[in-house]
Amino acid sequence: MQSITIVLLGIVGMIIGWFFYSKFIATKIFRLDDNNVTPAHELNDGKDFVPTNKVVLWGHHFTSVAGAAPIVGPAIAVYWGWVPAVLWVVFGTILFAGVHDMGALWASARHKGKSMGALSESVIGKRTRSLFMIVIFLVLLMVNAVFGVVIANSFVDQPNAVFPAWTAIAVALIIGQLLKRNFSLIPMCVVGIIVLYASVYAGSYIPIELPETMFGLADTANWIIILFIYAAIASLLPVWMLLQPRDFINGMQLIVGLLLLYGAVFFAMPDITAPAFNSQTAESTPSIIPLLFVTIACGAVSGFHGIVASGTSSKQLNKETDARFVGYLGAVGEGSLALITIVAVSGVALAASPEEWHEVYSHLGAGSVSAFINGGANLIASGWGLPVDFSSTILATMVVLFAGTTMDSGVRLQRYIIQEWGEIYSLNALKNGAVATLLAVGTCLLLAFGAGGSSGSGGMIIWPLFGSTNQILASLTLLVISVMLIKLGRPARYTLIPMFFVLVMAFFAGIIKLKEYYLAENYLLVFLDAVVLIVSVLVMLEAWSVISRFKKGEATTG
């Protein structure tokens, strides 16, 4: 089969979802209404609550949620075959992710821009907030640990990406300073993008590598430590100084990358060499059900999106109806990235024959980001005629910038949670930004090295655990939205069915991984997995109690 068939069917499906299903959910279920004043107007402070054009806000939301996960997950899950991966990405985007993201924006906007943790207290109860915050903290912890390893591995495998990746940070810092001094945005962005791609070209000739062993640690481990030192500093800087301009640069990079990859498919029309359903999996390969649904999290449905939607995006919503454009279309954007990733790692651009493809994907976890970079680079080279080295540097830089931005935001959000715990439990030390940041970074390093040893590879070892935890968070977010709908007397099946499906798959995946971690004597991951499973059950029981009391006409504020 030609890859263009997969692309056309997938994109057409998402377009239909946008024009019809999202409109139905927005108008008939959430009933988005511009007569409702959004928190951006009601609480406008010129800093966090700021009415924002929906296109600009979509760009912020899209780049914030589209980290490396919609690349990593699909590039791993294609091992079971490209058909199940494509089906989950396309239908997950249409029926799950879009509704989840739009719903999180709507729910938060209806509650003065509250975060999902605080919102759970308003909708379900006080105990739920504490439980929700534990799951959110663990998701952020795993996101940061995973992406730290992803970037470190990319730096080792693609040393040409090191120079442009750090150049992008310098460019973002300069743009942030100029914006603060009221310089025009468009000229600066044009210059910034030119400098970024000039650095990508230069990086092809300036590989930067750390010694294989330094301070008794491997090069990957040293990169992880350097990255978290950077993330700690970045998370303490004002958002205008680095995070916002870096978001914008990454948005431009993402759009260019998608245009290059999709354009290459239409120009080259490569064949698919990966099996539709892989019947030659290794003996130790876990069952596709439920593991597929947690391996591909971002790109199908992701609890991390709810954190972003209720954490920053809802505070910038100009009109309530913009939630459809920002939330649902943001999910479609990420789904399109996951879809093109599947194509890049399934076709002749990566392996000329089925036999060669099986050599690359010898076991679950093989291929991954390196397969995306190699396959995508060859795809771009065949479609656009660009040099393979330059193309691979573009994609490696794209992966690193996405993952780096997510790390910046993730560590910052971890710090917020730790400081919030300090407020709740009157622990003054935790209220300090520097102390909270050190604790956030310290727990990330503990997980990366504690789960994977001195190599720091724990970030990838915990990928299935991150996937199941992230999906459990998505189901809990859908649960909060469902309780809101039930209280408003509206149909909740459009959120309850996705919630139930995701929760069942994630819960059983968590149980499977719990057994694996126990047999491997990795007791740190056993503990984390058990905490997530127990907390999810407690939140569900709390929600059921609230729904039961509400149906009986009793008070629901507890």
Side-chain angles (χ1 to χ4, degrees):
M1 175 180 283
Q2 287 190 327
S3 56
I4 193 170
T5 304
I6 298 173
V7 166
L8 287 175
L9 290 176
I11 294 300
V12 167
M14 292 182 195
I15 289 174
I16 292 173
W18 159 248
F19 279 107
F20 297 100
Y21 192 63
S22 74
K23 184 177 182 180
F24 166 74
I25 296 294
T27 57
K28 302 298 184 181
I29 307 303
F30 297 145
R31 300 180 190 175
L32 303 181
D33 186 352
D34 287 342
N35 290 320
N36 294 318
V37 179
T38 63
H41 288 281
E42 182 182 0
L43 305 173
N44 189 348
D45 61 3
K47 182 180 179 183
D48 296 318
F49 293 84
V50 180
T52 305
N53 177 278
K54 67 180 181 180
V55 177
V56 176
L57 183 56
W58 175 85
H60 159 77
H61 183 78
F62 183 24
T63 54
S64 295
V65 300
I71 295 172
V72 177
I76 292 175
V78 77
Y79 179 72
W80 283 296
W82 63 264
V83 168
V86 167
L87 290 176
W88 175 226
V89 164
V90 174
F91 286 102
T93 295
I94 296 170
L95 301 174
F96 292 64
V99 176
H100 171 278
D101 292 16
M102 176 168 47
L105 273 171
W106 165 74
S108 179
R110 286 287 179 95
H111 289 81
K112 299 185 182 297
K114 288 183 179 180
S115 67
M116 198 50 62
L119 186 59
S120 65
E121 178 182 357
S122 301
V123 176
I124 301 177
K126 292 181 179 179
R127 288 187 296 268
T128 305
R129 178 188 183 184
S130 299
L131 296 171
F132 227 102
M133 286 177 64
I134 292 172
V135 178
I136 292 173
F137 182 83
L138 290 177
V139 166
L140 293 170
L141 172 65
M142 294 175 195
V143 164
N144 294 332
V146 168
F147 287 175
V149 176
V150 167
I151 299 172
N153 287 339
S154 296
F155 279 168
V156 172
D157 296 337
Q158 299 283 338
N160 292 342
V162 176
F163 179 74
W166 292 104
T167 299
I169 296 172
V171 171
L173 286 168
I174 293 172
I175 290 178
Q177 293 293 333
L178 294 177
L179 282 175
K180 193 70 173 176
R181 289 162 175 76
N182 297 318
F183 278 69
S184 178
L185 175 63
I186 294 177
M188 283 192 301
C189 291
V190 171
V191 173
I193 294 300
I194 292 173
V195 172
L196 175 61
Y197 279 93
S199 72
V200 170
Y201 181 79
S204 301
Y205 300 96
I206 312 175
I208 298 176
E209 300 177 84
L210 294 179
E212 289 188 11
T213 303
M214 187 170 65
F215 306 120
L217 296 173
D219 48 2
T220 304
N222 280 304
W223 272 125
I224 291 171
I225 293 172
I226 291 171
L227 288 166
F228 274 108
I229 292 173
Y230 155 75
I233 297 171
S235 70
L236 290 169
L237 295 176
V239 292
W240 62 264
M241 188 177 292
L242 177 60
L243 192 61
Q244 288 178 345
R246 189 172 171 179
D247 253 359
F248 192 85
I249 290 174
N250 287 351
M252 297 301 100
Q253 168 78 343
L254 175 60
I255 292 171
V256 170
L258 288 175
L259 289 175
L260 287 174
L261 289 166
Y262 275 100
V265 170
F266 282 93
F267 291 146
M269 292 188 287
D271 289 328
I272 296 296
T273 56
F277 297 91
N278 190 3
S279 60
Q280 301 180 36
T281 56
E283 187 176 345
S284 60
T285 304
S287 171
I288 186 174
I289 298 175
L291 268 298
L292 170 71
F293 302 100
V294 298
T295 302
I296 301 179
C298 298
V301 61
S302 168
F304 182 72
H305 291 204
I307 301 175
V308 174
S310 64
T312 57
S313 299
S314 65
K315 297 174 178 61
Q316 302 172 61
L317 207 62
N318 183 40
K319 299 185 296 183
E320 191 171 271
T321 53
D322 290 349
R324 178 185 172 218
F325 187 92
V326 175
Y328 197 97
L329 203 57
V332 168
E334 189 173 65
S336 66
L337 177 57
L339 181 65
I340 198 63
T341 295
I342 295 171
V343 171
V345 300
S346 300
V348 295
L350 177 68
S353 66
E355 292 75 22
E356 290 184 12
W357 186 89
H358 281 290
E359 288 180 10
V360 175
Y361 277 89
S362 58
H363 61 276
L364 183 66
S368 190
V369 174
S370 61
F372 167 75
I373 293 173
N374 294 331
N378 289 326
L379 179 62
I380 292 172
S382 62
W384 295 92
L386 296 176
V388 174
D389 287 346
F390 180 60
S391 301
S392 64
T393 304
I394 289 176
L395 294 182
T397 303
M398 186 171 77
V399 171
V400 167
L401 291 181
F402 290 170
T405 299
T406 304
M407 276 185 68
D408 290 357
S409 300
V411 171
R412 185 182 295 269
L413 290 168
Q414 267 189 284
R415 170 167 64 83
Y416 290 164
I417 290 176
I418 292 172
Q419 288 179 299
E420 191 170 350
W421 278 333
E423 293 284 347
I424 293 172
Y425 301 109
S426 300
L427 299 173
N428 292 329
L430 297 184
K431 298 177 187 179
N432 183 277
V435 172
T437 299
L438 287 174
L439 284 174
V441 170
T443 53
C444 292
L445 289 172
L446 176 64
L447 183 57
F449 288 95
S454 61
S455 66
S457 62
M460 295 314 296
I461 293 173
I462 66 169
W463 181 263
L465 178 55
F466 158 68
S468 60
T469 305
N470 190 43
Q471 301 305 68
I472 285 174
L473 178 58
S475 68
L476 297 181
T477 299
L478 287 167
L479 176 63
V480 171
I481 297 168
S482 300
V483 174
M484 278 187 62
L485 291 173
I486 290 170
K487 288 184 174 183
L488 292 169
R490 300 177 192 173
R493 57 183 174 273
Y494 302 99
T495 51
L496 280 176
I497 292 174
M499 181 275 294
F500 182 76
F501 179 86
V502 172
L503 181 64
V504 169
M505 293 300 162
F507 195 83
F508 280 105
I511 291 175
I512 290 171
K513 299 310 296 183
L514 186 68
K515 180 181 178 181
E516 289 183 13
Y517 295 142
Y518 179 76
L519 293 176
E521 299 184 350
N522 197 329
Y523 298 117
L524 173 60
L525 297 188
V526 168
F527 171 75
L528 292 176
D529 198 349
V531 167
V532 171
L533 294 175
I534 293 170
V535 167
S536 64
V537 170
L538 292 175
V539 171
M540 293 297 294
L541 291 174
E542 285 282 326
W544 178 253
S545 174
V546 169
I547 293 172
S548 298
R549 294 201 310 272
F550 180 77
K551 288 185 175 181
K552 292 177 182 178
E554 299 175 8
T556 59
T557 56

